[in-house]
Amino acid sequence: RCWCSAAGDPPCAVFVMGVTGFASAMNGEYIRSAADYDGRPKYKKRDDSKCLFYNARYREWQIARHVGRGGGLFAACSGGDAADPTVLQSGWRVGAMSISGMRVQASFSPATIVVHGDRASFLGLAGEYKLLPPKKASSVDKVLPGSDGALSGLGPAYRRIAHL
């Protein structure tokens, strides 16, 4: 189970996929923030370039540079009843243009991982690691594996909590 959700809660991470052409930069993993926005989960792209959130004023899910009005809107999808973006029924759009094939899918990162074996021991990576929340994860995103007890990269970031 993820650090930020219990069974039945919105996912801790989602993947935006299926966007082609000029808008393809929206594709990628978005990690759930600790605080919701307008009563729904808020997600931030791993590289901090975009946010995925519910805008109650317009009753739609949006991908934008920043949360809220004036945030550099990239895409939107009607869905006032959707508890999270993975259950949206209508299509996404950029302005008046529909984006066929775009979808948001849950990504469940394990809360802890165990790294073991001869090579892991040799590299100093053997241990148990805990999934970091997005705020803490962004501070170690550029840390090389094993340095300062962190494992990170393009996906979720983990901090070592025990050595093996």
Side-chain angles (χ1 to χ4, degrees), residues 6 25 38 46 65 71 81:
D38 276 352
R46 176 61 67 188
R65 196 166 290 133
D81 296 331

Side-chain angles (χ1 to χ4, degrees), residues 40-55:
R40 311 282 168 88
K42 172 179 67 175
Y43 298 87
K44 190 160 192 111
K45 194 168 182 190
R46 176 61 67 188
D47 66 5
D48 287 334
S49 65
K50 293 166 191 60
C51 298
L52 170 58
F53 60 95
Y54 178 74
N55 186 321

Side-chain angles (χ1 to χ4, degrees), residues 83-104:
D84 72 75
T86 64
V87 296
L88 292 168
Q89 299 297 315
S90 57
W92 285 85
R93 65 188 187 291
V94 174
M97 184 178 78
S98 291
I99 307 173
S100 63
M102 180 177 172
R103 63 192 184 281
V104 180

